[in-house]
Amino acid sequence: MLNVHNASQGRWVEILTRLGANASSLEGKHRPCPSCAGTDRFRFDDQEGRGSHICSQCGAGDGFELVQKMYSCDFKEAAIMVEEVLGIKGKAPSKEEKQAYRKRLADE
């Protein structure tokens, strides 16, 4: 089974636009936030292809966290949406996989 984290690496602009984010918000400049719609508080920097972003109201995170913010959903639902966009099938990551991923992000 293809891991959704690996499959999404470097493809966050495609994923987020297909999930409804305005492409201009993903250009690396201060733009409206896809989640809270603040006019100039969001920046998408996509560090290491993880979909990283920061909003002065919503906070910072990776692509999965942005999907969660956009759709007010949990990680499992966000992972399923990303899998659907990427055309991969599989189960959502386990609790242990999510914890390991978040630990890796925190250690970087």
Side-chain angles (χ1 to χ4, degrees), residues 5-77:
H5 287 107
N6 294 337
S8 63
Q9 191 84 12
R11 297 183 64 187
W12 281 104
V13 171
E14 169 194 358
I15 293 165
L16 293 168
T17 54
R18 290 191 53 203
L19 289 174
N22 188 323
S24 69
S25 292
L26 307 174
E27 295 175 345
K29 299 175 182 167
H30 289 271
R31 300 283 192 212
C33 178
S35 177
C36 72
T39 58
D40 192 25
R41 60 178 82 159
F42 175 84
R43 187 171 53 88
F44 181 76
D45 58 11
D46 199 22
Q47 291 180 356
E48 299 176 8
R50 295 181 294 122
S52 57
H53 63 281
I54 187 164
C55 172
S56 60
Q57 173 141 343
C58 299
D62 67 5
F64 290 99
E65 290 169 312
L66 183 54
V67 173
Q68 288 175 264
K69 292 172 194 173
M70 288 170 59
Y71 287 95
S72 299
C73 66
D74 63 18
F75 182 86
K76 181 178 179 180
E77 293 170 307

Side-chain angles (χ1 to χ4, degrees), residues 74-105:
D74 63 18
F75 182 86
K76 181 178 179 180
E77 293 170 307
I80 290 169
M81 284 189 261
V82 172
E83 286 179 332
E84 289 174 359
V85 166
L86 296 175
I88 60 175
K89 298 204 185 256
K91 63 179 180 68
S94 70
K95 182 177 179 180
E96 293 78 21
E97 289 172 316
K98 288 189 284 188
Q99 288 173 341
Y101 178 69
R102 293 193 188 280
K103 183 178 182 330
R104 256 194 346 259
L105 291 179

